[in-house]
Amino acid sequence: MSVTGLCEICESATSEDACDLCGRQVCENHYAESDGICTACLGDAGSQPDRQPASEDLPDGVDTYEF
């Protein structure tokens, strides 16, 4: 869903989308388009976008993980 105004997370960028879960208006940097939710809700769900897990958290023989 497209909306206009300020991002409710960073409060500096123009919002372009609304979170399907909480309804926050967010900018493109705080919206996980593939999930349709904001990064705050994504973090609450246990995911951390744009962050690689530490190598010790990966299975043996795996060097990187793609979200």
Side-chain angles (χ1 to χ4, degrees):
M1 174 193 315
S2 289
V3 293
T4 57
L6 283 181
C7 174
E8 292 183 44
I9 294 177
C10 67
E11 298 180 348
S12 61
T14 301
S15 64
E16 297 180 7
D17 294 287
C19 178
D20 292 344
L21 289 179
C22 69
R24 281 185 188 100
Q25 294 184 14
V26 293
C27 65
E28 67 180 52
N29 292 329
H30 292 105
Y31 185 69
E33 188 171 353
S34 61
D35 298 307
I37 61 176
C38 70
T39 55
C41 287
L42 191 62
D44 289 345
S47 297
Q48 295 296 320
D50 302 322
R51 192 185 110 195
Q52 288 289 328
S55 59
E56 61 268 11
D57 294 331
L58 296 172
D60 291 340
V62 176
D63 296 325
T64 60
Y65 179 80
E66 297 207 16
F67 291 96

